[in-house]
Amino acid sequence: MVTTQTTSTILSFSGQKVSESEVEAAAVFAVAEMARNKGGGLLSRQPQETLAFLAKVGYPLLLFPKEKSVLLFDGLGGFTHKLPYAEAPSAKTFLAALEANQRPRENYLSFLSAHGSYFKQVPDEKTFALRGLIANPDFKSEFESYLKEATEIAESSKLLSPTLDEEKISTSLTDLDKLQSLLRDNQTKLAECLSLLRKTSSQYVTEVEFEIIAATEEAEAKIKAQAEFINPQIAALKKTYAKKIKRVTTSFDKGFSDQQKYRVKTGRLIKRLEIKIRQYEREAKRQGKQGHKIYEKRWKDKIKQAEKELSGLKKELKDTEDALKRIVKQKADALSNLNFELDSQVKVARQPMVRLEEARDAKTFALKQESNKLLALEKPIAEGIEQNLKLEETLNAGFADLGISDSQVKSAARVYVPFYVACYEYGSARRYLCVPPSTISEADFSSKLKGALGMSKTKNLLTPRFKTVATLMDNVEALTWHNSVFEKELWRLGEGSNLLKNSLFTANVKTGLAYLKRAGWLSEREETELREQL
């Protein structure tokens, strides 16, 4: 529980020395007076306003230490920070179910199958709202530096009362602690889930690998025993068929050799007969030229007889070549049949071994499939857990980066940001101008040019020290328009501490106006007009 006993400090307006308060007073008064509607106008006449009061007020910021940081709250509730988080599937529930289904392996596989999409469910998106929390990184960075200027609050300081209930802030922070604790517990359980899931899967994968080795070794032993009985049978079969193959080969080779010899012999006879026919043709031609018709006829009869004999030899040669082809084919068929018979009988003999090998392969394949299935079922669950872990880490990082670093703040505290508020009246209407913590600007070229042209330079006189802190003034001005209770409090506070009725302040303004004139910020006419308004 965050303590609500608060200490209070206030920050510096300009960050300058007290001796320079005259310049601060003069600058603020000049800005306030120059922002007052003087009436008139060419196109639309505006009412002339009166400066009802000018007061220095403290804007409340609330500091609450949390773990190693300090949370910063806008006391007027101008900020609200929403922390997004997701209600992911319960890691605790998953872990309990996982532990209950670790054994046996069949239960574990069924569990994985049933929970494959458990962590893939879309988490419920929720937000935790902290009203008033200022988590803007630029604001925190500037305020961390600004906080070093905090000092004790003087009794005369006028401070706005916080509209935020510090007890409610304390309760909200307690609820935030509970939420963070739940998220951290879930993150721890997620890590345990992932560790146990991978450990269990790894054990079963190793177990399956050992079962594969054992099944293989058992099958190999049985196969070896069968081989000792079957291999001699196969060797005997091969020996018997080797003899058959040799007999068949020898028989066909002899027939082939005989036919081959006859083919060679017939070929030689054909060649000799062809030579004789050519000789007979030459003799018949020669006798014809000599006019020996009888001899010519005899030689032609010889040619006819030889050609008839040649035709018979060629037929025999063709028949021999056909016989050789038949022998080659018959030999190939016979050998093929013998080899087929051998293979068939060897296959029959090896059948007991084949059945053992098939049983071994089927069992190892089934075990490998089971191992692969286990890993495939585990993968989406592990990926889902990893995604949820990353989400939890991101959420926890967002929760951790809410505050500022300040080891000096040990308990709840209020820090007030000083600002000047000017109230303008015209009739029954009022409007307010807030001047955030600022410094006196240096008169640059553009400011001097405006002076040379007769234009007022007071709009550039003050420079906000912190851009983000200055946005608090927008909240004040908005509240004066939309919150009548706040406007009345501000009016009461400002009217009761009107610096325009403070002789010391007006004296400081007069001294400071002279300085601003010398610095080139005010013309002589502007200085005179401002003095007349005091």
Side-chain angles (χ1 to χ4, degrees):
M1 184 73 177
V2 180
T3 179
T4 56
Q5 296 179 352
T6 58
T7 58
S8 299
T9 55
I10 193 166
L11 302 172
S12 169
F13 179 83
S14 64
Q16 296 176 343
K17 298 177 182 178
V18 178
S19 60
E20 297 177 345
S21 60
E22 297 93 343
V23 179
E24 176 183 311
V28 171
F29 175 71
V31 169
E33 182 58 33
M34 291 300 178
R36 179 175 63 84
N37 287 330
K38 309 299 191 301
L42 294 175
L43 298 177
S44 60
R45 294 188 62 81
Q46 296 183 0
Q48 181 174 349
E49 294 177 327
T50 59
L51 183 57
F53 67 76
L54 178 63
K56 190 174 186 180
V57 183
Y59 189 109
L61 295 178
L62 310 177
L63 304 183
F64 283 80
K66 185 180 185 301
E67 297 176 352
K68 296 181 180 180
S69 65
V70 177
L71 301 186
L72 177 63
F73 287 85
D74 178 356
L76 300 184
F79 289 78
T80 295
H81 185 67
K82 293 183 178 180
L83 290 162
Y85 69 97
E87 279 194 355
S90 171
K92 183 178 180 181
T93 302
F94 179 88
L95 184 61
L98 174 58
E99 290 171 343
N101 288 278
Q102 277 184 279
R103 297 282 176 185
R105 195 161 75 214
E106 293 76 12
N107 285 8
Y108 183 65
L109 282 167
S110 298
F111 170 80
L112 293 181
S113 179
H115 290 77
S117 60
Y118 185 83
F119 288 105
K120 295 288 186 179
Q121 302 174 58
V122 179
D124 294 334
E125 299 291 338
K126 296 193 174 184
T127 56
F128 186 92
L130 280 171
R131 183 166 178 257
L133 179 66
I134 302 173
N136 180 281
D138 294 333
F139 193 110
K140 291 189 297 179
S141 177
E142 288 189 344
F143 190 79
E144 203 168 332
S145 174
Y146 192 17
L147 190 56
K148 297 173 184 178
E149 299 179 15
T151 58
E152 291 184 6
I153 298 175
E155 292 183 6
S156 59
S157 298
K158 303 302 176 182
L159 309 172
L160 289 171
S161 300
T163 58
L164 284 184
D165 188 325
E166 289 166 283
E167 284 291 341
K168 288 183 178 179
I169 294 177
S170 178
T171 302
S172 295
L173 292 181
T174 300
D175 292 340
L176 179 62
D177 287 338
K178 291 178 181 177
L179 176 60
Q180 283 185 275
S181 178
L182 287 173
L183 292 175
R184 279 194 291 265
D185 287 347
N186 196 57
Q187 185 177 6
T188 302
K189 292 296 182 185
L190 282 171
E192 291 178 19
C193 288
L194 187 60
S195 175
L196 183 58
L197 183 73
R198 285 177 170 166
K199 179 182 176 182
T200 306
S201 296
S202 177
Q203 287 174 344
Y204 280 131
V205 168
T206 302
E207 184 178 289
V208 169
E209 288 174 352
F210 279 119
E211 288 181 16
I212 290 172
I213 293 171
T216 302
E217 289 176 349
E218 181 184 356
E220 291 296 335
K222 292 180 179 179
I223 292 168
K224 184 177 180 182
Q226 285 287 340
E228 290 176 358
F229 174 72
I230 292 171
N231 285 345
Q233 297 178 7
I234 294 173
L237 283 171
K238 289 181 177 179
K239 186 175 180 182
T240 299
Y241 273 88
K243 290 179 180 178
K244 289 182 179 181
I245 289 169
K246 185 176 181 181
R247 284 199 301 272
V248 169
T249 302
T250 301
S251 174
F252 278 106
D253 287 349
K254 184 177 182 303
F256 186 87
S257 177
D258 292 344
Q259 290 292 333
Q260 179 70 5
K261 288 177 182 177
Y262 185 73
R263 185 177 71 84
V264 171
K265 180 181 177 182
T266 304
R268 289 173 181 168
L269 290 173
I270 289 171
K271 286 182 180 178
R272 289 173 186 168
L273 197 55
E274 287 174 341
I275 292 171
K276 284 183 178 181
I277 289 171
R278 286 195 292 274
Q279 289 175 349
Y280 294 162
E281 287 175 344
R282 286 196 295 272
E283 285 297 327
K285 188 176 182 180
R286 185 172 63 81
Q287 293 298 331
K289 286 181 179 180
Q290 293 177 359
H292 300 152
K293 299 295 183 181
I294 296 173
Y295 293 116
E296 179 183 6
K297 184 177 180 302
R298 287 178 182 175
W299 284 110
K300 286 184 177 180
D301 289 340
K302 285 185 177 184
I303 291 171
K304 289 180 181 179
Q305 184 64 33
E307 285 177 343
K308 183 177 179 183
E309 188 178 347
L310 178 63
S311 177
L313 288 172
K314 285 184 177 181
K315 184 176 181 305
E316 288 180 10
L317 180 62
K318 184 179 181 307
D319 291 342
T320 303
E321 288 176 345
D322 291 341
L324 285 170
K325 290 178 182 179
R326 281 196 301 274
I327 291 171
V328 170
K329 184 177 183 306
Q330 289 170 356
K331 177 184 176 182
D333 290 344
L335 292 176
S336 176
N337 290 334
L338 287 171
N339 284 316
F340 180 78
E341 289 175 11
L342 174 62
D343 290 342
S344 298
Q345 293 192 35
V346 168
K347 191 176 289 185
V348 170
R350 288 193 79 257
Q351 197 60 37
M353 293 172 62
V354 171
R355 283 196 291 268
L356 288 172
E357 290 170 350
E358 288 174 347
R360 175 200 62 195
D361 294 343
K363 188 170 184 178
T364 55
F365 178 77
L367 287 170
K368 288 177 181 177
Q369 286 292 92
E370 184 178 348
S371 179
N372 292 336
K373 180 182 178 182
L374 187 150
L375 293 174
L377 290 173
E378 181 219 55
K379 184 178 179 181
I381 299 175
E383 288 176 348
I385 294 174
E386 289 172 344
Q387 289 173 2
N388 278 269
L389 274 171
K390 289 178 182 178
L391 178 62
E392 295 284 355
E393 289 170 3
T394 303
L395 290 174
N396 285 327
F399 278 79
D401 192 28
L402 295 176
I404 61 174
S405 300
D406 194 319
S407 58
Q408 302 301 315
V409 180
K410 303 297 183 182
S411 61
R414 291 184 187 178
V415 177
Y416 289 89
V417 177
F419 69 97
Y420 287 90
V421 57
C423 177
Y424 305 98
E425 286 186 316
Y426 54 97
S428 61
R430 290 197 289 257
R431 75 176 179 91
Y432 295 85
L433 171 71
C434 297
V435 182
S438 304
T439 56
I440 308 299
S441 304
E442 294 292 335
D444 57 13
F445 176 77
S446 63
S447 298
K448 292 177 181 179
L449 181 61
K450 286 182 179 180
L453 297 173
M455 300 169 64
S456 176
K457 297 171 283 183
T458 52
K459 286 186 178 180
N460 301 322
L461 179 55
L462 292 175
T463 301
R465 296 178 62 198
F466 306 99
K467 289 182 179 180
T468 55
V469 175
T471 60
L472 296 173
M473 304 304 104
D474 298 335
N475 187 33
V476 174
E477 293 180 8
L479 285 171
T480 61
W481 285 103
H482 305 297
N483 189 324
S484 59
V485 175
F486 176 82
E487 192 275 335
K488 287 177 182 177
E489 182 192 354
L490 184 60
W491 167 262
R492 179 186 56 77
L493 199 64
E495 191 180 35
S497 59
N498 189 354
L499 294 173
L500 299 177
K501 296 178 181 180
N502 185 307
S503 58
L504 178 60
F505 179 79
T506 55
N508 284 341
V509 170
K510 290 176 181 178
T511 304
L513 289 174
Y515 170 83
L516 294 177
K517 177 187 173 184
R518 290 194 301 273
W521 281 108
L522 298 175
S523 65
E524 187 172 343
R525 178 182 59 81
E526 286 174 327
E527 182 194 12
T528 302
E529 290 176 352
L530 288 171
R531 284 179 180 276
E532 289 174 354
Q533 296 300 323
L534 290 170

